[in-house]
């Protein structure tokens, strides 16, 4: 299974800054077996697609609307993203759940819209701090997965990327330990197994939450951590390039095993 390094830029950077970062990334040697995805803000997506032509780096949206078109002021559809060459899209990020009230059912509809347009959904799930403190984190993630993914058959599930992002670790500098990450990724893998081994062995599970060059090697060394969804460190060309290199190390050691 490939190792993915995906960068979520959130609402950061202006045009010149975006161009500068993309300019560095397009010269990065992407190691064999590693897939790199960047998710800049909507206004810079078409430019990113254009600038990254001829490289293997994929461009992702950070969100999309569940409907194909209509009177939804301020929204962007999956078909619009597909029409400019975007091939992946983050859905269900905890910030969308928290600030925009996105439910698991809506997230499921967004995934459906993306799959219909041939776009890879990067489905985010993860528990809040109080849920971990009370020991309900496995149940919370199980419910999020069931709520958003229950309508999909195995062929559809195999096209999805999952990102486990404990909310208490996002942008806080707190990271799940390698043990905590593997424990939850193993749980998610077991849930995927209920759909059959072919689903469990196909769907990458990324870790997100203050993942940086100084902790990535330990996190990525876990058997069920297939790379990272990166926020803060994706805004810095050096740190993001370093994460791509570390993902390459993971691929190399997997090849030796
Ligand atoms: C994210 O928001 O997806 C994320 C992982 O952010 P950070 O790396 O900054 O915690």
């Amino acid at each position: 299974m490939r190792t993915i390094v995906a960068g979520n830029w959130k609402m950061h950077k202006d045009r010149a800054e975006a161009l500068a970062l993309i300019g560095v990334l397009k010269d990065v040697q992407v190691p064999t077996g590693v897939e790199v995805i960047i998710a800049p803000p909507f206004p810079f997506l078409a430019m990113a697609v254009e600038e990254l032509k001829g490289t293997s780096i994929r461009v992702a949206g950070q969100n999309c609307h569940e409907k194909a078109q209509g009177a939804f002021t301020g929204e962007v559809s999956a078909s619009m993203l597909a029409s400019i060459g975007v091939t992946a899209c983050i859905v269900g990020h905890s910030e969308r759940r928290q600030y925009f009230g996105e439910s698991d059912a809506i997230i499921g509809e967004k995934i459906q819209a993306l799959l219909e347009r041939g776009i890879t959904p990067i489905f985010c799930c993860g528990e809040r701090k109080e849920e971990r403190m009370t020991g309900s984190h496995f149940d919370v993630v199980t419910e999020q997965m069931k709520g958003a993914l229950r309508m999909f058959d195995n062929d559809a599930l195999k096209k999805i990327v999952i990102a486990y992002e404990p909310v208490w670790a996002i942008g806080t500098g707190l990271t799940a330990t390698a043990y905590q990450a593997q424990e939850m990724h193993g749980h998610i893998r077991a849930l995927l197994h209920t759909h059959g081994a072919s689903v469990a062995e196909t769907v990458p599970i990324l870790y997100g939450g203050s993942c940086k060059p100084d902790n990535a090697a330990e996190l990525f060394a876990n058997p069920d951590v297939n790379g990272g969804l990166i926020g803060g460190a994706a805004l810095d060309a050096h740190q993001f390039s370093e994460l791509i290199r570390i993902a390459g190390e993971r691929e190399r050691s997997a090849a030796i095993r």
Side-chain angles (χ1 to χ4, degrees):
M1 198 184 296
R2 64 202 193 276
T3 302
I4 299 175
V5 180
N8 175 13
W9 293 13
K10 311 193 186 191
M11 197 171 72
H12 291 293
K13 300 205 178 285
D14 62 19
R15 184 179 186 281
E17 291 164 342
L19 255 183
L21 177 49
I22 293 165
V24 177
L25 296 180
K26 72 181 174 192
D27 290 331
V28 167
Q29 283 295 325
V30 177
T32 308
V34 175
E35 186 171 300
V36 178
I37 304 174
I38 59 164
F42 285 135
F44 310 137
L45 288 175
M47 177 179 83
V49 169
E50 207 50 45
E51 291 292 319
L52 292 168
K53 269 197 182 127
T55 76
S56 63
I57 300 179
R58 297 172 65 185
V59 178
Q62 297 176 15
N63 177 40
C64 73
H65 196 270
E66 59 277 17
K67 297 279 191 298
Q69 60 179 356
F72 301 103
T73 302
E75 291 295 322
V76 170
S77 70
S79 54
M80 291 171 186
L81 295 176
S83 73
I84 58 165
V86 166
T87 62
C89 186
I90 299 167
V91 272
H93 191 281
S94 63
E95 288 150 16
R96 300 288 321 169
R97 293 174 188 263
Q98 183 182 349
Y99 303 128
F100 302 95
E102 289 189 6
S103 64
D104 292 323
I106 290 287
I107 293 162
E109 288 180 36
K110 290 180 185 223
I111 293 173
Q112 174 71 34
L114 290 166
L115 291 174
E116 280 168 11
R117 297 290 161 182
I119 297 177
T120 306
I122 303 172
F123 164 67
C124 302
C125 56
E127 80 285 358
R128 295 191 306 251
K129 188 176 176 192
E130 57 276 24
E131 292 164 337
R132 177 157 286 264
M133 307 252 290
T134 54
S136 60
H137 43 296
F138 293 116
D139 291 342
V140 167
V141 169
T142 303
E143 281 315 305
Q144 289 172 336
M145 285 195 46
K146 285 192 177 157
L149 304 180
R150 61 160 53 97
M151 64 214 220
F152 300 110
D153 63 16
N154 284 4
D155 285 344
L157 288 173
K158 286 180 192 171
K159 295 181 181 141
I160 295 171
V161 171
I162 294 176
Y164 167 59
E165 299 207 303
V167 180
W168 48 271
I170 296 178
T172 58
L174 294 174
T175 316
T177 62
Y179 179 83
Q180 288 171 320
Q182 172 54 34
E183 193 181 37
M184 183 59 85
H185 284 230
H187 174 72
I188 294 170
R189 189 81 67 202
L191 290 173
L192 292 171
H193 253 291
T194 63
H195 299 273
S198 67
V199 173
E201 285 160 16
T202 305
V203 177
I205 309 171
L206 313 184
Y207 169 79
S210 299
C211 182
K212 312 232 179 285
D214 61 4
N215 58 26
E218 208 187 336
L219 288 161
F220 293 179
N222 288 297
D224 290 306
V225 178
N226 306 112
L229 178 55
I230 316 296
L235 299 172
D236 179 86
H238 175 70
Q239 289 195 57
F240 196 62
S241 309
E242 194 51 18
L243 287 163
I244 295 169
R245 189 192 62 72
I246 294 165
E249 297 288 316
R250 177 184 193 273
E251 278 296 312
R252 264 191 295 282
S253 54
I256 294 164
R257 278 201 294 270

